[in-house]
Amino acid sequence: MLKRVDIVGNPNVGVFTLATDDLAIVPYNLLDEKAEIIKETLEVDVVKASISGSSLIGSLAVANSNGMVVSPHVLDREVKQFEDLGIDVATIPGRYTALGNIIAANDKGAIVSPFLSEEAINIIENTLDVNVEATSMVGSDIIGSLIQVTNKGFLISSQAVKSEIKFAQEVFGVEGDIGTVGRGIALVGACSIANSNGAIVAKDSTGPEMARVEEALGFLDDDF
């Protein structure tokens, strides 16, 4: 299912929420009716939580079906909540806390910003159980904000070139394409959430943008 909805009052739905094929994690202050939209669209259970005491869950963590990597400032009670849900949680050392902005991952691979340390990359590889490649893309280090990726496809900033699209296909093991959401926003990772079942994009997304999202994330063969 593909929906354009005002979830958090601004286009940055991916900054506040995090989704995998198993679960969606949303802020405590998200309205129940909005949480229900996420549940229905992505076909997963929704859990309300925080990370480092913050509602910026999508910015402070990255997860796939194998585990979750989080800001080093995560609270013990937050880690316990995730572990009680059966999630393998690891903190990433260093001064970079906005992991969702600098890591894009599915169950097959991850692309991360090149300034992450070798130790950090090893933790990401072990926790998410994926091969990790570190590089800049479209002249930027905010990889997670530039890419929305699932186990069926990926949408990457409209500024990406063919070689970058091919590289992402090799790392993630799925096909993908360029695009925007929210009437021309190239930060598609920050302004959407998605899994193999569906996606939610910024409310102002146009029809052509929606069509590109549907194609890039591999939903065209689905019976909606």
Side-chain angles (χ1 to χ4, degrees), residues 44-115:
V44 292
D45 290 332
V46 174
V47 173
K48 291 190 175 184
S50 64
I51 294 180
S52 305
S54 170
S55 61
L56 303 177
I57 294 167
S59 282
L60 298 173
V62 175
N64 65 6
S65 297
N66 303 312
M68 175 190 293
V69 290
V70 297
S71 159
H73 303 301
V74 66
L75 304 178
D76 290 343
R77 62 173 173 79
E78 295 167 338
V79 173
K80 184 178 186 304
Q81 179 185 9
F82 299 137
E83 290 180 339
D84 286 347
L85 292 169
I87 302 173
D88 182 18
V89 182
T91 58
I92 300 300
R95 61 188 180 91
Y96 302 108
T97 60
L99 301 181
N101 295 346
I102 58 177
I103 302 170
N106 64 1
D107 288 356
K108 301 175 182 178
I111 302 176
V112 307
S113 295
F115 50 66

Side-chain angles (χ1 to χ4, degrees), residues 126-180:
N126 292 332
T127 305
L128 302 186
D129 193 21
V130 295
N131 178 58
V132 175
E133 296 290 342
T135 185
S136 297
M137 300 192 80
V138 298
S140 175
D141 295 326
I142 53 171
I143 304 300
S145 296
L146 295 167
I147 303 174
Q148 179 59 256
V149 59
T150 75
N151 293 326
K152 293 180 67 175
F154 68 86
L155 181 71
I156 188 172
S157 165
S158 57
Q159 300 171 15
V161 298
K162 288 184 178 179
S163 60
E164 292 172 324
I165 298 169
K166 181 179 179 181
F167 176 76
Q169 289 173 340
E170 293 172 351
V171 174
F172 296 133
V174 292
E175 298 294 312
D177 205 348
I178 62 171
T180 60

